[in-house]
Amino acid sequence: MKSRSLMALTASVAALGLAAEAPAQRASAISQRDASQAAQQHPELVQQFGGAESGARAAYVASVGRKIAAQSGVPNGAGAFTVTTLNSPVVNAFAVPGGYVYITRQLLGLMNDEAELASVLGHEVGHIAARHSQARQSAARRNSIGGLLGAVLGSVIGNNPFGNLVEQLAPQLAAGATASFSRNQEHQADDLGIRYMTSAGYDPAASASLLASLGAVESLNARAAGRDDRRTIPSWAQTHPLSAERVRRSTQQAQATGAVGRGVRNRDQFLAAVDGLLVDDDPRQGIVEGRDFRHPDLRLAFTVPQGYTMQNGTRTVSVVGSDGQAQFSTAQFNGDLDSYIAAAFQSIAGQQSGRLQIPQPRRTTVNGIPAAYTTARASTQQGQVDVSVFAYQWDSNTAYHFATITRGGSGIGPFSSMVGSLRRLTAREAAAIRPRVIDVVTVRQGDTVQSLASRMAYSDLKLERFLTLNSLQANSRLRPGDKVKLVVYGNRS
């Protein structure tokens, strides 16, 4: 959430599966129409995913992408693709028609060498070369939902009585960019990616090693969240489930190339590039720590109920749990909370807002902040639901609000503690919020996995996080001179 704006986008990776034999025909050229449309959409898509990285690291990632694209068979492959590193804390990579490939800094930080980076970029280039994105975009248009209450009142919620607040309020552009590919498309892109990276001189075994790291992250995230269900799994894993079988298959396909162990890994160069990389939330957009959300620039904080999870983005913070869903965001404010709440319902419900009976907002105060709220009832095929807006007057020019969906008759109930927790951060609290960054260190005599893990900037699962970050095992022995990654606290710029 950048100052005055927040947004939750649970991105789903358009990659990372392995499979069947890919056709060997020459790829067709990227159409001028696709390239022009992608160029027009690029700035908006980048903004929706937290902005783009620039500088030496972004240039390095793009250079690897050009090496891979040159092997794709697409005419002028090295110049036909644009590779962007996104400032997103989500483990994600995806491609769109027109030759645009995106990878998040969080996924970049998980990798351990340049060959693993080449494997992901190769997969994404494969999707474009095989023209998978066009079919995916059509599917996204069929599945897109214009607004939350439009979906609720239109009875398209399915088996979930709340719908999906995150997906239904996400922009169609982002939904189209990150919609799932079919299994066959994933398999074909995997094969193409292995072919491209091998032709470019990389060790194809990196594809399997990265998949193993992604599987470890999936397990770690579930454990850190304290539950073992799909809500704790990153979106790339939900749409592209990882398994030991997939790692084995990737290994087999890499071995079939005859290049395993002979290709380039470029570990030192890669680690130099990611040294200092921001990981997890960007404090400029607010941070999530357990059940707490804190934004040092906006100087605000709130806490979600026990058992609920948060997803932070550039314009909203999304909250999901068994008894309801919510989003925290801001909008234009003219000094009147009643009109602000009415506009929030209009924004959420769109053309359906006229069918709602919206009671007059009630006034209250939350931690010294003037506030108002109201709840509207909507009927669906799954039963009645309550849609509430709880707004806060932050100052004369600024307001924030929660929009919630709960079962009919519940009102704000399940989120009572959350809406009552919004507060102002003190200057000291705001100053104490620091970013987490990767620090590449050289192993010294006497260092162990356990001693290095103790330096990780987390309050829990330090050893597990260190092992996952470096693709190590608990019994791994480190040698003096080895380089490993730590996550430490950095300084705010």
Side-chain angles (χ1 to χ4, degrees):
M1 167 180 177
K2 294 182 179 177
S3 64
R4 297 294 307 263
S5 63
L6 303 107
M7 162 150 171
L9 275 177
T10 41
S12 56
V13 144
L16 311 175
L18 285 176
E21 191 64 27
Q25 70 267 22
R26 182 177 178 82
S28 60
I30 294 173
S31 75
Q32 184 59 43
R33 178 181 177 182
D34 284 344
S36 177
Q37 184 177 13
Q40 291 176 6
Q41 294 178 342
H42 175 73
E44 182 181 352
L45 192 151
V46 166
Q47 192 277 331
Q48 289 173 2
F49 283 91
E53 279 210 344
S54 60
R57 183 183 303 114
Y60 168 69
V61 173
S63 71
V64 176
R66 286 193 294 273
K67 290 180 187 177
I68 294 299
Q71 309 300 321
S72 66
V74 172
N76 185 33
F81 289 82
T82 299
V83 179
T84 301
T85 303
L86 298 170
N87 178 30
S88 171
V90 178
V91 175
N92 189 14
F94 57 92
V96 300
Y100 280 66
V101 173
Y102 302 87
I103 183 170
T104 64
R105 58 171 170 77
Q106 194 75 7
L107 177 54
L108 195 63
L110 180 65
M111 299 172 180
N112 284 286
D113 56 48
E114 188 176 301
E116 291 187 344
L117 171 61
S119 73
V120 171
L121 297 179
H123 186 108
E124 299 306 331
V125 168
H127 277 305
I128 294 176
R131 300 182 63 81
H132 294 161
S133 297
Q134 286 83 345
R136 180 189 63 183
Q137 198 172 56
S138 297
R141 283 194 294 268
R142 290 195 301 270
N143 295 330
S144 177
I145 301 174
L148 172 61
L149 288 186
V152 173
L153 298 177
S155 301
V156 294
I157 305 174
N159 294 326
N160 183 349
F162 310 122
N164 188 317
L165 194 74
V166 174
E167 292 180 0
Q168 291 168 7
L169 291 185
Q172 183 172 345
L173 174 60
T178 60
S180 301
F181 288 114
S182 71
R183 181 177 180 181
N184 287 340
Q185 288 173 333
E186 287 298 325
H187 289 173
Q188 185 181 15
D190 285 326
D191 293 341
L192 289 171
I194 289 177
R195 178 189 302 167
Y196 300 159
M197 66 182 296
T198 304
S199 298
Y202 291 104
D203 185 348
S207 180
S209 65
L210 180 63
L211 280 174
S213 292
L214 291 172
V217 169
E218 179 181 335
S219 299
L220 177 61
N221 285 352
R223 181 176 176 184
R227 60 167 64 92
D228 187 20
D229 61 30
R230 293 180 65 85
R231 285 173 300 174
T232 68
I233 299 174
S235 51
W236 50 262
Q238 292 182 18
T239 52
H240 307 274
L242 297 165
S243 66
E245 188 277 332
R246 289 182 62 199
V247 176
R248 286 194 297 270
R249 178 168 186 144
S250 176
T251 301
Q252 292 170 355
Q253 297 219 6
Q255 290 173 341
T257 68
V260 170
R262 294 163 44 195
V264 169
R265 298 296 292 233
N266 274 0
R267 175 173 168 83
D268 286 348
Q269 185 176 358
F270 178 84
L271 290 179
V274 300
D275 194 19
L277 175 73
L278 176 68
V279 296
D280 301 335
D281 289 323
D282 184 342
R284 293 172 298 180
Q285 299 177 10
I287 65 168
V288 174
E289 290 276 7
R291 294 165 49 209
D292 297 323
F293 175 80
R294 294 175 292 157
H295 199 300
D297 293 341
L298 301 181
R299 298 276 294 273
L300 62 78
F302 63 82
T303 303
V304 302
Q306 186 73 38
Y308 284 69
T309 59
M310 273 184 285
Q311 181 77 39
N312 183 29
T314 54
R315 291 178 184 155
T316 60
V317 179
S318 295
V319 182
V320 180
S322 59
D323 292 326
Q325 299 187 24
Q327 280 190 337
F328 180 72
S329 60
T330 187
Q332 186 174 356
F333 179 57
N334 63 5
D336 179 14
L337 278 182
D338 286 3
S339 62
Y340 180 91
I341 289 174
F345 272 105
Q346 175 66 36
S347 176
I348 294 169
Q351 295 179 355
Q352 302 291 341
S353 60
R355 297 171 57 183
L356 293 176
Q357 295 289 332
I358 304 176
Q360 181 71 22
R362 300 180 181 180
R363 296 282 173 161
T364 188
T365 300
V366 176
N367 296 319
I369 305 166
Y373 63 96
T374 192
T375 298
R377 183 71 52 84
S379 297
T380 76
Q381 290 179 349
Q382 307 301 320
Q384 292 186 324
V385 297
D386 285 346
V387 181
S388 304
V389 173
F390 200 109
Y392 310 80
Q393 181 172 346
W394 199 249
D395 56 39
S396 60
N397 299 311
T398 309
Y400 300 106
H401 69 277
F402 288 102
T404 70
I405 300 180
T406 59
R407 291 185 175 87
S410 299
I412 295 175
F415 294 107
S416 294
S417 64
M418 180 181 73
V419 299
S421 69
L422 188 77
R423 66 181 180 88
R424 301 182 190 274
L425 288 176
T426 66
R428 183 173 183 177
E429 287 175 320
I433 297 174
R434 299 164 59 192
R436 291 188 176 104
V437 298
I438 286 180
D439 182 22
V440 177
V441 301
T442 301
V443 176
R444 299 175 300 181
Q445 189 70 37
D447 283 341
T448 65
V449 165
Q450 289 74 17
S451 67
L452 289 169
S454 68
R455 296 161 58 182
M456 295 283 283
Y458 296 95
S459 60
D460 65 341
L461 301 174
K462 290 189 175 187
L463 175 60
E464 292 82 353
R465 295 180 193 276
F466 174 78
L467 296 175
T468 300
L469 182 68
N470 291 283
S471 192
L472 295 171
Q473 302 298 319
N475 59 355
S476 294
R477 298 188 65 180
L478 302 177
R479 299 171 300 178
D482 286 348
K483 293 181 179 179
V484 295
K485 294 176 292 179
L486 297 176
V487 174
V488 300
Y489 288 113
N491 297 318
R492 292 191 59 199
S493 58

